[in-house]
Amino acid sequence: MNVLDFMWTHRLEELQLTIEHLVMVGISILIAAGIGLPLGILMTRKPGMSRPILTFANIVQTIPSLALFGFLIPLPFIGGIGARTAIVALVLYSLLPIIRNTFIGISGVDPAIRDAGRGMGMTDGQLLWKVEIPLALSVIFAGIRVATVIGVGVATIAAAVGAGGLGMYIFRGVSMVDSRVILAGAIPAAALALIADFGLGAIEKRFAKLMCLVCVVVAVSSCSRSDRITVCSKNFTEQVILGELLAQQIEHKTNLTVDRKLNLGGTLVCHEALTAGQIDAYVEYTGTGLTAILKERPSNDSARVYDTVKAAYKSRFGVEWTEPLGFNNTFAIIVRKADAQEFTLKTISDAASRTANWIAGFGYEFMEREDGYPGLARTYNLQFPVAPRVMDLGLTYKALANRQVDFIAGNSTDGLIDALGLAVLEDDKHYFPPYDAVPLIRDAVVTKHPEVREALRALGGKISESAMRRMNYAVDGQHKDVKEVVGDFLSRELRQ
């Protein structure tokens, strides 16, 4: 199936994500224009204000988009997870071209024309609205067009904070190492940018007002969360599958509507969203909760780890660890199968002596976690000639298969291991703690909707490691749709 076939098969989802993308950009541009135009006008009346205003707008423009989203997430009122954070970020990125073009356009009006207006008895306000703004309108509108194009591009990153849009396909494609899915998001986004650039000049003001009204109505309606459960996932294939699994199970067992915030980000993003009440449930791993959230030392006792995180989350966060799903997705050290066969590598200790000639590649979280690379290097005396390359987790598999790196840390249930001809090395020193997959749910949701808790209880012990690996392979290796894979599993295992 090529990218066009994929887009046609998923045309309804493609349309939905495109609309989400347009709504985000449209609302943000309207807000940015409402802020930027007055600031640009203010700068023409009070030149001393131009330096601090432009300095602020320039500084915002230099902040990497992912970093800006990260800064905004913990902020009250304007931050959090979802479209609100994305719109705030897009507004900030849109300010510079609007402010600058407004200032340049009005400042560039011929002084003789201003003098003529004053000679006719015009007030400063009349001069602004009847002379300066009409003459500067083409320059001002060019700034709005530039801001819109920037917004279309930056909005693809908004998927990282659960805001939806075409970035969902891009992030999903990266995690699946599937260029078709990446292009399914990138091509429409590029088309929207071109349409915005070439088409805005032809849009009449009445259409702009209509678009504003539509955007506001859609945004307001999407903010309603009555009788809705929001499920999220981290940004790799297994998590997307498990997020969809929770969503379909809740939809099947209850009368509630489920909002999906899949491919949301890493552990801390999902945790903060859960504890802030912006999402209601997601699947976490016991070892991750112990080390990354509770900051406790790793333990190899699976039962003790589960009891520890269950009690701590209950008392500290008001979150319940439900029944384990049935599989342990521990970290796995992975090499190419050809190398494992050539050098007779079965354990991490076997590979340790080879690391002096190898290049390692790890995901962002693994480099920083208590149970990640620093401790692994100490335990096995790993001595790579250069610092490990840090990249998105989904890309590490492709980099290993393409011989760009030689040694990676993945997940033991990943379908790409078999699909790309890779081999897992045994953790012979038992460094990694257990990572039993367990759905988490806020206590407030359990109190209000006990039927959701019962729906999750039915999933306990239903997914073996082999079953999880098959689902991962179906998505990563066979490029099947996540909803289809999850639906088949639930029909086969739970709805017979």
Side-chain angles (χ1 to χ4, degrees):
M1 181 186 295
N2 59 35
V3 63
L4 295 179
D5 292 334
F6 178 88
M7 293 174 68
W8 177 251
T9 303
H10 298 80
R11 57 190 179 277
L12 294 179
E13 184 180 21
E14 191 92 44
L15 177 62
Q16 176 188 345
L17 295 179
T18 302
I19 292 173
E20 291 176 359
H21 208 92
L22 285 171
V23 168
M24 275 192 294
V25 175
I27 293 176
S28 64
I29 293 301
L30 290 170
I31 296 174
I35 297 171
L37 292 175
L39 288 178
I41 294 170
L42 176 65
M43 288 161 52
T44 64
R45 270 45 190 173
K46 297 183 179 296
M49 297 291 293
S50 61
R51 182 180 294 273
I53 292 174
L54 286 176
T55 298
F56 170 77
N58 274 295
I59 289 174
V60 170
Q61 199 75 20
T62 63
I63 300 175
S65 52
L66 273 177
L68 183 59
F69 283 120
F71 292 147
L72 290 174
I73 286 173
L75 297 182
F77 305 115
I78 63 172
I81 299 301
R84 179 176 56 192
T85 300
I87 289 171
V88 172
L90 293 176
V91 168
L92 291 174
Y93 277 122
S94 301
L95 286 176
L96 178 61
I98 295 175
I99 293 172
R100 184 175 56 198
N101 279 43
T102 302
F103 175 65
I104 291 173
I106 295 176
S107 298
V109 173
D110 191 334
I113 297 177
R114 290 196 185 92
D115 291 340
R118 291 190 179 97
M120 296 172 62
M122 284 187 174
T123 64
D124 192 57
Q126 290 173 327
L127 193 64
L128 173 67
W129 290 104
K130 294 184 178 182
V131 177
E132 293 175 317
I133 288 181
L135 291 175
L137 196 59
S138 61
V139 179
I140 295 172
F141 200 70
I144 294 175
R145 289 171 64 185
V146 171
T148 303
V149 173
I150 291 173
V152 170
V154 175
T156 58
I157 309 295
V161 294
L166 292 167
M168 291 290 291
Y169 273 145
I170 296 175
F171 278 93
R172 189 184 305 172
V174 169
S175 68
M176 295 167 59
V177 196
D178 190 339
S179 58
R180 297 172 314 145
V181 183
I182 296 173
L183 289 173
I187 291 174
L192 287 179
L194 292 173
I195 292 170
D197 190 31
F198 293 108
L200 277 178
I203 297 178
E204 298 288 343
K205 289 183 180 180
R206 61 180 178 273
F207 292 112
K209 292 179 181 178
L210 179 60
M211 287 181 66
C212 172
L213 178 62
V214 171
C215 288
V216 171
V217 170
V218 172
V220 170
S221 64
S222 66
C223 291
S224 174
R225 289 198 58 201
S226 60
D227 290 326
R228 288 176 178 266
I229 300 297
T230 303
V231 172
C232 88
S233 79
K234 302 181 193 181
N235 54 349
F236 56 93
T237 300
E238 178 171 294
Q239 274 282 305
V240 175
I241 292 172
L242 293 175
E244 181 64 29
L245 181 84
L246 297 191
Q248 289 195 23
Q249 176 71 355
I250 293 170
E251 287 173 336
H252 181 72
K253 294 292 186 179
T254 73
N255 294 321
L256 299 171
T257 300
V258 178
D259 289 333
R260 293 160 171 81
K261 301 290 184 183
L262 308 182
N263 263 314
L264 187 58
T267 298
L268 295 180
V269 173
C270 293
H271 175 75
E272 290 295 331
L274 183 70
T275 55
Q278 294 166 339
I279 60 108
D280 299 312
Y282 82 101
V283 175
E284 187 54 274
Y285 306 96
T286 52
T288 301
L290 182 74
T291 58
I293 303 300
L294 301 181
K295 306 299 182 184
E296 296 196 16
R297 295 186 62 82
S299 169
N300 293 319
D301 187 333
S302 179
R304 191 190 76 81
V305 171
Y306 175 76
D307 291 340
T308 299
V309 295
K310 186 178 180 68
Y313 270 65
K314 186 79 169 179
S315 60
R316 290 170 56 177
F317 308 124
V319 171
E320 181 177 355
W321 285 70
T322 65
E323 293 73 23
L325 293 175
F327 70 93
N328 173 24
N329 184 13
T330 186
F331 274 122
I333 296 303
I334 303 169
V335 298
R336 288 180 289 274
K337 186 174 293 185
D339 289 344
Q341 294 171 346
E342 179 180 354
F343 302 116
T344 319
L345 306 178
K346 295 183 179 180
T347 66
I348 301 177
S349 294
D350 293 338
S353 61
R354 305 289 314 173
T355 56
N357 300 313
W358 278 356
I359 296 175
F362 301 126
Y364 303 106
E365 276 195 40
F366 189 77
M367 289 295 295
E368 304 295 334
R369 287 169 53 144
E370 175 70 24
D371 55 345
Y373 174 67
L376 179 72
R378 291 192 300 269
T379 301
Y380 285 98
N381 192 29
L382 306 179
Q383 298 180 353
F384 297 102
V386 295
R389 295 180 179 175
V390 182
M391 63 190 79
D392 185 88
L393 180 62
L395 295 178
T396 59
Y397 292 92
K398 195 168 186 178
L400 179 62
N402 291 340
R403 297 186 173 273
Q404 295 170 323
V405 297
D406 307 291
F407 184 101
I408 68 171
N411 300 311
S412 60
T413 56
D414 278 341
L416 287 174
I417 295 173
D418 294 328
L420 297 178
L422 308 178
V424 175
L425 301 178
E426 179 189 348
D427 178 17
D428 52 304
K429 294 186 178 181
H430 306 290
Y431 168 71
F432 293 120
Y435 293 90
D436 295 309
V438 183
L440 307 189
I441 186 168
R442 295 190 299 117
D443 286 344
V445 177
V446 174
T447 301
K448 185 176 181 180
H449 297 292
E451 68 272 26
V452 174
R453 180 66 181 86
E454 293 306 310
L456 298 183
R457 193 187 310 278
L459 295 174
K462 298 297 184 180
I463 308 177
S464 64
E465 287 189 26
S466 59
M468 191 69 246
R469 192 177 295 112
R470 284 194 299 271
M471 284 193 283
N472 285 333
Y473 178 73
V475 174
D476 285 334
Q478 300 175 323
H479 303 300
K480 292 185 178 180
D481 183 72
V482 171
K483 290 185 178 182
E484 176 188 347
V485 171
V486 170
D488 289 345
F489 173 81
L490 289 175
S491 297
R492 184 174 60 252
E493 300 294 331
L494 295 176
R495 301 172 188 169
Q496 295 177 346

